[in-house]
Each structure stands twice: as C-alpha cells, then as structure tokens.
Amino acid sequence: MARKGASATSAAVKCLYLTAAGVCLFYGLWLLTRIFLYDQFITPTESMTPTFLPGDRIIVDKTVMGARIYTDFNFDMHGADLKSLRTRGRRGVRPNDIAVFNFPRHEGKLNFVINHVYAKRCIGVPGDTVSIVNGHFNNNNYRGEIGLKSMQDRFADMPDSIFSPEAFSTMPYDGHIPWTIKNFGPLYLPRKGDCIRLSAKEGCIYRVILEWETGKTITYDWEKDRVFAGGEPLDRHTFSHGYYFMCGDNVGNSHDSRYWGLLPEEYIVGVVSRISYSVDPHTGKYRKERTLKKPV
C-alpha cells in the first residue's frame, strides 16, 4: 500500500511539474509574441471614428518597422528619456498607415511615458512637407487622399465659430505663425541627418524638438531673425531623429500633431493591422460586426 501511495504521489508531482512547465512555456511564448510580433490596445476615445470606435481592441503589428527593445527600464511616469533599439522591420511607416505610439509631449517637453499611447493616422513621414487647406490634408510626396475625405469634407463645412479659441489655434502657438486646425502649414518634417538653417520661424516651429535634441532652452528673436540655444546663437542644426505628423480621422475632435507637434520615429510602437473584437464601453454589448475588421 505504501509503495502504491508513493507512486501516486510521484505521478501527481510529475503532473504538477508538467503543468507548471506548460504554463511557463505558454506565458513565455505569449510574452515574446507581445514583444516582437503583435500587441493589443483598447481604443478609449472618438478621435479615430468612424475607423475605430471606443471599445475597439486593435491589433498592432510590430513587424512592419521592427519591434522596439528597451535598453533601460528606469521608466518615470512623469516622463523620461526613451532608450531602446529596434529590430529589423519589413518596411517603414507610410502615409495613411494607422500607428500606435507613445504620446510624445508632457508639460511642454518631449519625453517618454511607457503606458501613455495614442492611435492616429500618419499624414507625413520624415522628408515630407504637410499642410492642411480648408480642413483637408495635403502631402507633397503623396498622391491620393490621406485619411477619410468624408470626415474632412464635414470638418471643412463646420463654422469656425463653433470652436473655442483654444481648440482652433495650433502649434507653434505664436501670432507670427497663425496656423489653425483648418489651415495649417506648410510644415517640413525633418529627416535624420537633415541640416536646416534656422531663422526665427524655424526656431519657433521646431522649438520643442530642438530642445529635445540639443538639451538646451531654445529662444528666438523675430526682430533680429535669430535662434539661440542656451543663450548662444544657433544658426543651423543637423537633426538626429526623423519625425512624423499624425492626425485623427475625426478631424474636428482629435488631439493630434496639430496641437502637440511632431512625433519621433522611436516613439512608434507599430502599425494597426485589424480590430480583434469590440465591446461598447457604455452598454457592455459585444459588437460582433467589428470582429477581425481591417481598418481602411
């Protein structure tokens, strides 16, 4: 009887070990998939409607431009420097792609917060010049429509008076450059390695990313048409990062690059491939018609 009991105990322990090993293996594969291949995020707002609705679970493909691997895990929830490497991707982000990225600007500065992510449509990539004319997006290097024309048509028809002054004005928030959410730019998106001569206008437009790249306070003098970094003249600058312009499809109600500026390439998590499933956040109802839907 003792021998049978010991045998049964040994079998139970072996089964427990195998179960634990299976769970660990499954968890490891799930974690590796999230790190290197795909991840999922929940859409919380209406900024991308009708493409995404609040409650949509969106799958992000990290193989498009390569997975981001952190080299420093000292994350500050108030903003920190992003230190990472990227694996080889299949291609870069293109205009009209919808990307998930870490929101880049906190307390007036460009910095990284790990769990603060947005999903927006790419309007321009490094080297492009983008503009908005009467509510419609333009890109000098892209032929065809960017975003949803129907939403931009509706936006163009909205009276300017329905927007508050805070909602209507955009970066760089300077009276010398009176851009609005409906008429914006043209704005050049710097590429890594671009050397740009800086006048007061460029200092004003690129101030946030110049401060991030130089580590110095950027000021500019409109009368003298000069730019200063830490009080010293800065006549030109060679950019060490590439920058993107991102906007929501719901152009009349989206907190995007028009307000907070340019997105560094390193902050991009990946490109949205499809909706996995969707649950209405107000009713809790499962929206079966959105399951595995691919965004346009």
Side-chain angles (χ1 to χ4, degrees), residues 78-211:
H78 298 288
D81 290 332
L82 169 61
K83 297 178 180 179
S84 65
L85 302 172
R86 198 179 287 277
T87 61
R88 184 185 296 274
R90 295 186 285 111
R91 62 171 176 83
V93 173
R94 299 168 179 165
N96 261 334
D97 281 342
I98 300 172
V100 166
F101 55 89
N102 292 90
F103 180 69
R105 190 169 174 178
H106 303 88
E107 298 181 359
K109 296 183 178 181
L110 202 158
N111 50 32
F112 175 81
V113 175
I114 186 169
N115 290 321
H116 191 186
V117 295
Y118 276 24
K120 304 290 182 187
R121 189 178 297 274
C122 178
I123 305 302
V125 302
D128 292 344
T129 296
V130 299
S131 61
I132 304 172
V133 180
N134 192 29
H136 293 81
F137 297 128
N138 295 284
N139 180 323
N140 71 319
N141 288 327
Y142 186 83
R143 293 185 178 181
E145 296 176 3
I146 299 179
L148 302 184
K149 185 177 183 300
S150 59
M151 296 298 289
Q152 294 169 39
D153 288 341
R154 183 184 303 178
F155 178 50
D157 290 338
M158 293 179 180
D160 296 351
S161 58
I162 71 171
F163 298 97
S164 68
E166 294 78 13
F168 200 62
S169 61
T170 66
M171 62 85 68
Y173 302 104
D174 188 295
H176 293 87
I177 306 174
W179 294 347
T180 71
I181 54 174
K182 282 190 175 183
N183 291 283
F184 182 99
L187 170 63
Y188 177 73
L189 310 181
R191 292 173 296 196
K192 182 178 181 179
D194 277 349
C195 182
I196 296 179
R197 184 182 178 280
L198 300 175
S199 66
K201 181 178 180 180
E202 283 74 33
C204 179
I205 292 172
Y206 299 124
R207 179 185 62 82
V208 173
I209 61 177
L210 287 172
E211 288 186 339

